[in-house]
Amino acid sequence: MRDLYEVLGVERSASSGELKKAYYKLAKQYHPDHNPNDKAAEDKFKEASTAYQVLSDEEQRARYDRFGFEGLRGGAGQGGGSGFSNVEDIFSAFGDLFGDFFGGRGGGGRRQARGADLRVDLTLAFAEAVWGVTKDVKVTRELACGTCTGTGAAPGSKPEVCETCKGKGQVVHAQGFFMVQTTCPQCRGAGKRIKDPCPDCRGRGTKPETSTLSVTVPAGVDDGQTLRLAGKGEAIPNGQTGHLYVVLHVQGDERFKREGADVLTEVPVSFVKATLGGDQEIYTLDDNCTGTATIKLDPGTQPGEVFVRRGQGIPRVGETGRGDHVVQFVVEIPTKLTARQEELMRELAKEMDEPVREKRGLFGRKKS
Ligand SMILES: [Zn+2]
Ligand SMILES: [Zn+2]
């Protein structure tokens, strides 16, 4: 087993501040959150934590200085113990310290107990996704019990201090050479014991409830996106409430093909209008996607030609501005003509010196 000062890389005369600083550096480097599934890093993390636990305790440090590892023998264990066997125990033992180090949960420090996250699906009409909407969702989740206000103790009684850990939630026992702190097995860290459980939740402190939540969907969301409602998941005694994830399903609209914040509208126009130009009415996203506008077709508009209406697309979520509305002209060739129309077309063909198929009668026979 390596010398504990060597593990932390400090002098034997190191002050408590220097120890803390050295441990901080190692803990940060080998933190399991930064080294997922890395056994070697986890071992280093445990080794450094063990060294720091001993040396940060004045009494244990003094014994180690005088007698080495022999001085730390807890009695019950036989040599070769590695201090911490479990990463969670390190967070339990040094929770506050990790809070200081990593600024709480954000830095990936101590993992605080949190209720389960939940997921619900929400289907939106196309216009609701474009312009935003407030919708109700029904969720069944574990919530703090109203009868005992989440304590788990029957009304009129109170949870009692856990006798095993004296309310600390942690117990200290010998493991190998070391005195190791672990979560109290009796109260599982709560520090309290319920003698007279609440009849409503049977002492759990939470019970399933179905409630309707109002979800504000911002304008511009797209199919498959997820909204997070922080703290609207499941409750847990002595911990934070989980989150509710709302998965959005957006229905299509055949008039508007969506591409991010842009929409494409295909507009059929007759070959006559494409040739001569003219006004064309189109659908727009305005008025909850029921709006219309008139755009001018230039003479000689080609099939597939586009007209871009800048900033008339879908609002960008969390930003200002909108995408574009792209209007594409699909030039239609008639499949049926009246006798008069055909006559005019044939006249046009002659004028344009265009050899065309001769008129056929019924059953494809040539008219003579
Ligand atoms: Zn209850
Ligand atoms: Zn306890």
Side-chain angles (χ1 to χ4, degrees):
M1 197 174 275
R2 281 216 291 164
D3 176 69
L4 299 181
Y5 290 98
E6 197 185 306
V7 168
L8 293 181
V10 294
E11 300 286 326
R12 296 190 81 83
S13 57
S15 69
S16 64
E18 284 167 335
L19 285 171
K20 194 170 175 177
K21 210 186 265 176
Y23 174 57
Y24 168 68
K25 232 181 100 187
L26 292 168
K28 199 172 165 189
Q29 184 180 350
Y30 297 117
H31 197 289
D33 284 358
H34 304 156
N35 304 275
N37 305 318
D38 184 343
K39 185 76 178 68
E42 192 185 313
D43 288 343
K44 291 266 188 202
F45 185 63
K46 287 178 190 165
E47 190 187 28
S49 301
T50 301
Y52 181 67
Q53 194 187 29
V54 171
L55 297 181
S56 62
D57 180 315
E58 253 176 65
E59 200 189 308
Q60 286 202 61
R61 184 178 177 182
R63 276 193 281 149
Y64 177 74
D65 286 348
R66 280 189 74 184
F67 309 111
F69 286 111
E70 207 55 30
L72 303 173
R73 203 179 271 281
Q78 289 300 309
S82 62
F84 288 108
S85 55
N86 177 321
V87 169
E88 287 306 318
D89 287 340
I90 298 173
F91 292 120
S92 297
F94 294 142
D96 297 342
L97 195 61
F98 277 96
D100 292 349
F101 280 176
F102 301 110
R105 294 182 52 227
R110 185 186 191 182
R111 294 128 198 233
Q112 209 179 344
R114 200 159 62 83
D117 292 334
L118 294 180
R119 175 200 151 128
V120 287
D121 294 276
L122 180 60
T123 299
L124 302 173
F126 183 83
E128 291 173 336
V130 173
W131 294 113
V133 69
T134 300
K135 287 221 144 182
D136 287 343
V137 291
K138 221 179 208 181
V139 239
T140 302
R141 56 197 169 142
E142 289 285 326
L143 287 182
C145 168
T147 310
C148 62
T149 62
T151 64
S157 78
K158 266 202 281 186
E160 289 171 23
V161 172
C162 170
E163 287 149 23
T164 308
C165 63
K166 305 280 181 289
K168 283 190 291 192
Q170 306 282 322
V171 287
V172 176
H173 58 87
Q175 185 174 0
F177 285 122
F178 304 103
M179 299 306 288
V180 169
Q181 228 178 19
T182 54
T183 303
C184 172
Q186 188 69 42
C187 62
R188 272 174 267 133
K192 287 177 252 172
R193 227 174 68 115
I194 295 157
K195 278 228 174 105
D196 190 6
C198 164
D200 248 13
C201 63
R202 295 194 189 85
R204 289 187 309 135
T206 63
K207 55 178 189 173
E209 264 170 59
T210 302
S211 34
T212 303
L213 295 176
S214 175
V215 179
T216 304
V217 180
V221 294
D222 207 347
D223 189 52
Q225 289 179 341
T226 301
L227 301 176
R228 192 184 81 149
L229 275 65
K232 299 288 185 191
E234 295 209 310
I236 188 174
N238 307 307
Q240 287 183 311
T241 306
H243 305 313
L244 177 67
Y245 290 93
V246 181
V247 181
L248 304 175
H249 304 278
V250 179
Q251 291 173 334
D253 185 319
E254 57 185 17
R255 300 168 305 161
F256 304 106
K257 270 187 211 150
R258 191 167 167 169
E259 188 82 50
D262 299 331
V263 280
L264 173 75
T265 297
E266 287 183 349
V267 179
V269 292
S270 76
F271 74 102
V272 179
K273 195 186 277 182
T275 308
L276 302 176
D279 288 347
Q280 178 68 41
E281 191 172 70
I282 56 152
Y283 294 110
T284 72
L285 297 178
D286 300 330
D287 302 322
N288 225 20
C289 303
T290 63
T292 55
T294 303
I295 53 178
K296 292 213 178 301
L297 240 74
D298 290 332
T301 292
Q302 301 298 308
E305 207 171 300
V306 295
F307 181 94
V308 180
R309 304 177 70 232
R310 298 248 172 253
Q312 297 299 305
I314 293 166
R316 298 178 200 278
V317 188
E319 292 174 48
T320 51
R322 293 163 61 180
D324 297 332
H325 184 194
V326 179
V327 180
Q328 185 168 40
F329 302 114
V330 179
V331 177
E332 291 191 321
I333 309 297
T335 51
K336 274 183 190 151
L337 293 173
T338 63
R340 170 74 178 140
Q341 286 166 345
E342 182 168 350
E343 193 185 322
L344 291 170
M345 286 289 283
R346 289 192 174 279
E347 212 167 296
L348 180 63
K350 203 181 274 175
E351 182 65 27
M352 292 174 82
D353 208 10
E354 192 77 72
V356 293
R357 188 161 157 175
E358 279 176 60
K359 187 166 180 142
R360 279 168 188 270
L362 281 176
F363 313 113
R365 271 177 296 149
K366 229 178 196 179
K367 254 191 177 177
S368 49

